[in-house]
Amino acid sequence: MQESFGSLEMSARIRRDSALMKAHALIDWEGLRPLLRGLYKREASRGGGQEPIDPLLMFKATLLGQWHSLSDPKLEAALNVRIDFMHFCGIGLTDAVPDESTLCRFRNRLIHAGKLAPLLAAVNGQLQGHGLMVANATGAVIDATLVASAARPKSMTIIEHDTDAEPEPEADTTSGDAADAPAAEGHHVTKTASADPDATWLKKGKKSYFGFRVYTTVDSGDGYVRGVHTAPANQSEPTHFEAAVDSADFKPKRSYADKGFSSRANRAHLHKRGIKSALMHKAQRNKPLSARQKSANKRISKTRYIVEQCFGTMKRLFGMSRASYIGTKKVNAQFTLKAICLNLLKAANKICLRTESVGVVRPRRAQ
């Protein structure tokens, strides 16, 4: 399709040195198209009706929304006015822009079809092809971070009755459970359930959290995200270690994790998969750590810190301290999309560092 003068002028105004544009140039987006097939019933039935918007355009728009932490309405507005967004998605000045409902439905299609984990692996594969990510990483670092739910927790409301009303009869506590007894005279207790049934409470130190634990696997070299697994916050970390290991898109030689994941079952799982254990040792009652175990913990900590940098970037730059959607699957999908954005940003920053290291001199503007 021939570009109009307006599209050419719009393309000329884009900052090519921005991280977003460098990340866009790194990826062969058409190579991801096969992974986006099968999202619409119309593809299989070949029936009539309106032609759906290009799935690749929709996926790129979805990434932009997660990169800039935009809601669906704000993403729709940005796609109509921002030149870099239009260029990233391949939208011309006269092309139709997906509305907020279409963007939401497309994201849900990706989730239900299980497309996000393969898309993360495909993007990682292309970065490996550029030499920006280690293809055969020797180590994987696993850890979990808390993400607050988008919904409010369960609440309890006490409504006072009219004092002139006839009091209710006293409860018979001799027969039946006391929990089935009516509330105190003159009060009525109403319990309101949370809109997020999967989110749970967790007390960590002196703080309480309502939400999820997101288990993330990063490579020990540069900290690229290689796998994501999400569970309710109150479920113990060791029980989800196997799922976190299996979520990675590569098989490492050694797996690192803190003492929260230390258990015989987890070490046995690593041994079964042919992965060396680098789980930190945990002291037990009447069984303190030996000098050798303390030394091993120090060595593991020097490698394990890289996953904390990943969590810091996800929460500081990509706004992942709090989820935007309801339910375990959707929170896991959001974190996976943010992981793709994080990996693209790390790759773009590597390009900047390489350019500076070779001493590229840009031409000076004419006076």
Side-chain angles (χ1 to χ4, degrees):
M1 184 177 67
Q2 188 175 3
E3 289 187 300
S4 64
F5 287 108
S7 299
L8 292 173
E9 177 66 22
M10 179 180 69
S11 179
R13 290 175 176 268
I14 296 172
R15 286 190 56 188
R16 307 286 177 174
D17 59 344
S18 68
L20 182 64
M21 290 299 104
K22 287 184 177 182
H24 177 262
L26 277 174
I27 302 300
D28 175 20
W29 297 99
E30 285 297 327
L32 303 179
R33 188 178 292 278
L35 295 175
L36 297 171
R37 291 173 184 163
L39 294 175
Y40 298 97
K41 294 181 179 179
R42 192 177 185 277
E43 297 179 20
S45 63
R46 300 294 181 181
Q50 185 178 1
E51 184 75 20
I53 300 178
D54 182 15
L56 186 57
L57 183 155
M58 295 294 296
F59 174 63
K60 293 166 80 172
T62 302
L63 281 182
L64 284 176
Q66 297 302 324
W67 187 298
H68 296 275
S69 299
L70 299 176
S71 63
D72 293 332
K74 290 184 179 180
L75 177 58
E76 177 190 351
L79 289 171
N80 279 287
V81 298
R82 287 193 55 166
I83 296 176
D84 55 342
F85 277 38
M86 296 180 189
H87 179 78
F88 190 92
C89 296
I91 299 175
L93 294 176
T94 58
D95 294 336
V97 174
D99 59 23
E100 57 179 285
S101 299
T102 305
L103 292 166
C104 178
R105 288 196 296 267
F106 178 81
R107 185 176 60 251
N108 290 335
R109 290 176 188 272
L110 287 175
I111 297 171
H112 295 318
K115 298 287 188 179
L116 291 176
L119 285 167
L120 172 62
V123 170
N124 289 345
Q126 292 201 27
L127 296 180
Q128 292 167 16
H130 288 299
L132 298 170
M133 180 189 294
V134 180
N136 298 316
T138 58
V141 186
I142 299 174
D143 203 356
T145 187
L146 292 169
V147 175
S149 172
R152 293 183 177 181
K154 295 180 181 180
S155 61
M156 180 180 293
T157 306
I158 299 178
I159 303 174
E160 293 188 1
H161 287 302
D162 187 359
T163 55
D164 296 333
E166 184 178 354
E168 296 182 5
E170 294 183 2
D172 184 10
T173 57
T174 59
S175 62
D177 193 351
D180 297 330
E185 182 180 340
H187 295 81
H188 177 70
V189 179
T190 302
K191 293 183 178 180
T192 304
S194 172
D196 194 341
D198 296 340
T200 55
W201 280 104
L202 173 69
K203 189 170 184 180
K204 192 173 182 180
K206 295 183 179 180
K207 292 185 178 181
S208 297
Y209 302 88
F210 181 74
F212 304 87
R213 283 189 206 256
V214 181
Y215 300 82
T216 307
T217 304
V218 304
D219 64 60
S220 59
D222 295 310
Y224 285 98
V225 180
R226 308 298 294 269
V228 177
H229 171 69
T230 305
N234 66 343
Q235 296 183 8
S236 63
E237 291 183 348
T239 58
H240 289 275
F241 180 76
E242 293 185 15
V245 171
D246 297 339
S247 68
D249 61 1
F250 77 113
K251 181 181 177 181
K253 295 181 180 179
R254 190 182 301 271
S255 183
Y256 300 83
D258 63 20
K259 60 183 179 181
F261 295 94
S262 179
S263 69
R264 292 183 179 179
N266 290 340
R267 297 179 192 276
H269 178 72
L270 293 177
H271 180 74
K272 183 179 179 181
R273 290 201 54 189
I275 303 173
K276 294 182 180 180
S277 173
L279 306 184
M280 295 182 68
H281 300 279
K282 184 178 181 180
Q284 299 178 1
R285 182 177 296 179
N286 299 325
K287 192 177 180 181
L289 296 179
S290 64
R292 182 178 180 182
Q293 289 174 328
K294 291 180 180 179
S295 177
N297 284 353
K298 289 183 179 180
R299 291 196 303 269
I300 294 171
S301 298
K302 293 180 180 180
T303 302
R304 202 192 62 79
Y305 79 94
I306 199 167
V307 71
E308 302 295 345
Q309 293 181 339
C310 166
F311 292 149
T313 304
M314 293 286 273
K315 295 183 178 184
R316 186 181 70 256
L317 295 184
F318 294 107
M320 202 57 213
S321 297
R322 186 182 183 89
S324 301
Y325 313 116
I326 303 296
T328 305
K329 288 185 178 180
K330 291 187 178 181
V331 175
N332 189 77
Q334 184 183 11
F335 205 95
T336 305
L337 287 166
K338 299 274 190 184
I340 296 175
C341 296
L342 173 64
N343 290 353
L344 291 175
L345 177 62
K346 290 178 73 70
N349 290 337
K350 269 195 169 184
I351 294 176
C352 298
L353 292 173
R354 287 186 178 185
T355 302
E356 294 175 0
S357 64
V358 297
V360 175
V361 179
R362 296 181 180 179
R364 300 176 64 181
R365 293 184 179 180
Q367 300 294 329

